[in-house]
Amino acid sequence: MKFTYYLFLAFTKLFAIMPFWLLYGFSDVLRFIFYYIIPYRKKVIFGNISRSFPDMTEKEKKVMVKLFYKNLCVIILEGIKGVSMETEELAKRYKFLNPEVMNAYFEKGQDIISVGAHYANWEWGIIAAPCQLKHKIFAFYMPLSNKLIDANMRNTRKKYGTELVPKTEVRKAFSSKKDRPATYFFGADQSPSNIKGVHWTTFLNQDTACQKGHEFFAKHYDLPVIYFDVRRIKRGYYTVKLIVLEERSGATVSGEITEKYMRLLEKIIIEKPEDYLWSHKKWKHKKPQTVN
């Protein structure tokens, strides 16, 4: 555990001084390794893309997989690089286009639910958001098995202004005292660990079990829900558009907010599929026959 931690620190310090042009050169090497030498989850990636886009030719699928690996390697290295980036650099490279959408709720003293996805670069969003938005940010995540790296990651994010909260402590975060209005961020596209009480929908041509944590708390506290629409402009530069998914969550029916989220995410993925995280096992659960 300690060896892995010190190796992580070494890479963090190395990427801190590494210029971006060299970083992306290294990412191209890593992409070659993942695709040709050590095929990282290649079967999972091909399967997810094939089911999502059944009309794609084999040649188109291979191109898509290569583009995905390019995206994945960039995200991995940018994520490590982001730990050492100054806020001014982050604001230049990761720009919120319409922060006034969330800031208007802040001025009214209103907490909100924010949701995102594993699309483009989600890592920088956690550290860039506090520099451009007024709300206190709580981001829910799955703790890493290496407790030293996990603690380092939480402390680093806290330095920028984001509180990382383990998914087991979500209720505690909502009930904790805070010094200003907060936004509670959910990466809502992850596969649920338990399918009891999930929302089932058709997503990218497949039966998909959806987490409802963001919807549950939005409805329970009657909070607005805002989607972080992250787009890559070019290597190392991103924009985020804030989209209001729901204004009056307390008045919605079960599954309504989740369905809006999934439909928007599906549209975004279809527009530029290579920027989605195809390596995660989003569709590992099978829909029970008794569920309508």
Side-chain angles (χ1 to χ4, degrees):
M1 180 181 290
K2 284 188 177 181
F3 173 77
T4 305
Y5 172 65
Y6 289 127
L7 188 64
F8 167 77
L9 288 183
F11 272 106
T12 299
K13 293 185 182 300
L14 174 63
F15 289 135
I17 61 174
M18 185 180 292
F20 274 96
W21 65 266
L22 185 56
L23 181 84
Y24 293 128
F26 188 47
S27 79
D28 289 336
V29 173
L30 189 61
R31 173 182 55 165
F32 181 87
I33 293 172
F34 277 177
Y35 188 85
Y36 291 104
I37 302 175
I38 309 173
Y40 172 73
R41 291 193 174 184
K42 205 169 187 178
K43 189 176 291 187
V44 172
I45 297 162
F46 262 107
N48 286 341
I49 292 174
S50 296
R51 291 189 301 272
S52 298
F53 301 97
D55 296 330
M56 267 190 184
T57 65
E58 288 303 308
K59 182 178 180 180
E60 289 172 333
K61 290 174 188 175
K62 288 181 180 179
V63 171
M64 182 63 65
V65 171
K66 288 182 179 179
L67 289 173
F68 162 74
Y69 277 121
K70 179 179 180 180
N71 175 60
L72 176 66
C73 294
V74 164
I75 291 169
I76 291 172
L77 299 189
E78 284 182 346
I80 300 174
K81 177 75 170 177
V83 173
S84 61
M85 289 172 64
E86 297 294 332
T87 54
E88 295 81 5
E89 181 78 2
L90 275 168
K92 183 177 70 173
R93 291 179 172 271
Y94 206 91
K95 185 174 183 178
F96 284 77
L97 298 176
N98 55 342
E100 66 276 4
V101 170
M102 276 183 62
N103 291 340
Y105 291 106
F106 179 88
E107 299 303 332
K108 295 187 291 186
Q110 174 75 70
D111 291 346
I112 61 175
I113 299 289
S114 51
V115 290
H118 291 84
Y119 188 85
N121 184 332
W122 61 90
E123 292 287 349
W124 282 1
I126 295 175
I127 52 180
C131 310
Q132 301 178 57
L133 304 173
K134 294 181 179 180
H135 282 79
K136 181 176 180 63
I137 298 174
F138 292 92
F140 303 115
Y141 82 113
M142 185 65 70
L144 302 176
S145 57
N146 189 306
K147 296 187 183 301
L148 292 174
I149 296 178
D150 185 73
N152 178 278
M153 185 175 69
R154 291 182 69 172
N155 290 334
T156 300
R157 272 41 172 196
K158 190 172 184 178
K159 178 187 72 175
Y160 284 100
T162 295
E163 292 276 354
L164 286 187
V165 180
K167 288 190 173 182
T168 54
E169 300 178 13
V170 174
R171 292 180 182 273
K172 184 179 178 181
F174 276 89
S175 61
S176 65
K177 291 183 178 180
K178 50 189 183 298
D179 56 0
R180 63 185 189 276
T183 181
Y184 303 92
F185 184 84
F186 292 81
D189 64 328
Q190 292 178 320
S191 180
S193 57
N194 189 324
I195 63 171
K196 183 179 180 181
V198 301
H199 174 74
W200 284 95
T201 190
T202 301
F203 174 65
L204 294 172
N205 299 302
Q206 300 165 80
D207 288 332
T208 306
C210 307
Q211 296 189 67
K212 290 176 62 180
H214 62 292
E215 178 174 317
F216 171 83
F217 288 102
K219 285 175 62 63
H220 182 75
Y221 293 103
D222 194 19
L223 301 179
V225 181
I226 292 179
Y227 181 79
F228 282 33
D229 182 7
V230 182
R231 305 295 180 109
R232 178 181 286 109
I233 306 306
K234 59 181 180 179
R235 262 187 176 182
Y237 290 87
Y238 302 84
T239 61
V240 185
K241 182 179 179 182
L242 303 175
I243 300 173
V244 179
L245 286 183
E246 184 55 58
E247 184 74 33
R248 299 180 63 247
S249 298
T252 62
V253 298
S254 179
E256 184 177 344
I257 294 172
T258 300
E259 195 65 31
K260 287 181 178 179
Y261 167 83
M262 296 304 292
R263 296 284 69 82
L264 176 57
L265 177 57
E266 184 177 58
K267 178 177 179 291
I268 291 168
I269 292 172
I270 290 173
E271 288 175 3
K272 194 180 179 188
E274 62 266 29
D275 282 352
Y276 191 54
L277 187 65
W278 294 107
S279 57
H280 70 167
K281 298 179 180 179
K282 175 66 181 170
W283 293 279
K284 62 184 178 183
H285 298 298
K286 298 299 181 183
K287 183 178 180 180
Q289 295 300 313
T290 55
V291 177
N292 296 321

